[in-house]
Amino acid sequence: SRWTERMNLRGIMKKTVLFASMFLLTAAFLFSADFSDPEGWFAYDDSAAPNNGSSKIYIESSKSGDVLAVTAKGNVTKKFQYGFAGFGINPNPAELANIKKAKGFKFKVKGDGRVYRVRVQTSNVNDYNYYGKIFVTKQERLIEVQVLYSELEQESWGNRVSFNKNQITMITFQTTEQPIASFTLTIIGFELIM
């Protein structure tokens, strides 16, 4: 009957709309997991309590196509004994899920010839002794840095904990020396190694 045909057609149309909606949501989920949103990046330094230092940092971002470049500039003082400044990625849920599936990550970096440390912050570290890797920049030269989770190490101070990529919360880039009158570091095209 016509009524049955209409009901079948309505059911098919509902399924088609539902499928199309799910496809678009999945595409949006995947697209949002590419670390190219400047709003996902943040800066920090030693000026907050309890450190009460006087180091300063600010970040600016620019895009070329889909590639995001984040530049950090600032200085590090010894007002706080272990002065520092850094910036990082506060990943959205899609990015975080992909970080936890990855073997590591890579990025291009343009720096000032100084030594920096990339830190993979995990929820099981409570004394800031995060796993990380040191990298050396080349004055005004672009280089690529690859970081495999299997290469990460904690520093010589603090409590030792096992690294577990399922406990990753964010990734940061931080200065390693004090004082620094002026530093400039640009991270370009952060990508995961799957």
Side-chain angles (χ1 to χ4, degrees):
S1 75
R2 284 193 166 287
W3 185 83
T4 304
E5 287 176 15
R6 272 192 185 157
M7 290 298 114
N8 286 341
L9 184 58
R10 285 179 79 181
I12 291 170
M13 290 177 65
K14 282 182 181 179
K15 288 178 185 174
T16 302
V17 168
L18 178 63
F19 175 76
S21 298
M22 289 176 63
F23 176 78
L24 290 173
L25 285 173
T26 301
F29 175 82
L30 293 173
F31 180 76
S32 68
D34 66 359
F35 309 99
S36 65
D37 180 4
E39 297 299 315
W41 291 75
F42 65 96
Y44 61 94
D45 58 37
D46 62 20
S47 61
N51 301 331
N52 300 316
S54 58
S55 301
K56 297 291 177 214
I57 185 171
Y58 70 92
I59 60 173
E60 58 188 22
S61 59
S62 61
K63 269 184 134 175
S64 176
D66 289 337
V67 179
L68 179 69
V70 180
T71 299
K73 296 180 181 182
N75 69 298
V76 177
T77 70
K78 289 183 97 173
K79 182 176 179 187
F80 170 59
Q81 179 181 2
Y82 307 108
F84 62 87
F87 65 112
I89 303 166
N90 191 7
N92 67 40
E95 291 168 338
L96 189 56
N98 286 339
I99 287 171
K100 291 175 180 181
K101 291 178 197 170
K103 295 177 185 172
F105 51 88
K106 63 183 178 177
F107 53 91
K108 291 183 178 68
V109 62
K110 188 174 183 181
D112 49 15
R114 294 189 180 281
V115 177
Y116 295 89
R117 188 165 192 264
V118 59
R119 304 182 322 160
V120 180
Q121 297 187 205
T122 56
S123 59
N124 63 333
V125 173
N126 55 21
D127 62 358
Y128 301 101
N129 189 16
Y130 297 111
Y131 275 83
K133 180 179 178 178
I134 296 289
F135 63 95
V136 181
T137 61
K138 305 286 185 200
Q139 185 95 23
E140 292 302 311
R141 274 197 25 227
L142 193 64
I143 60 171
E144 183 172 280
V145 176
Q146 288 196 355
V147 178
L148 297 176
Y149 297 147
S150 60
E151 300 173 333
L152 299 176
E153 296 179 347
Q154 285 184 288
E155 294 187 82
S156 60
W157 57 271
N159 295 324
R160 298 275 176 219
V161 298
S162 297
F163 179 78
N164 180 343
K165 69 181 184 176
N166 293 316
Q167 293 179 313
I168 295 172
T169 58
M170 67 181 68
I171 297 171
T172 58
F173 304 86
Q174 188 169 300
T175 57
T176 60
E177 55 192 288
Q178 2 9 63
I180 303 172
S182 175
F183 70 85
T184 303
L185 180 67
T186 302
I187 302 296
I188 303 165
F190 184 91
E191 297 177 46
L192 297 175
I193 299 171
M194 300 308 270

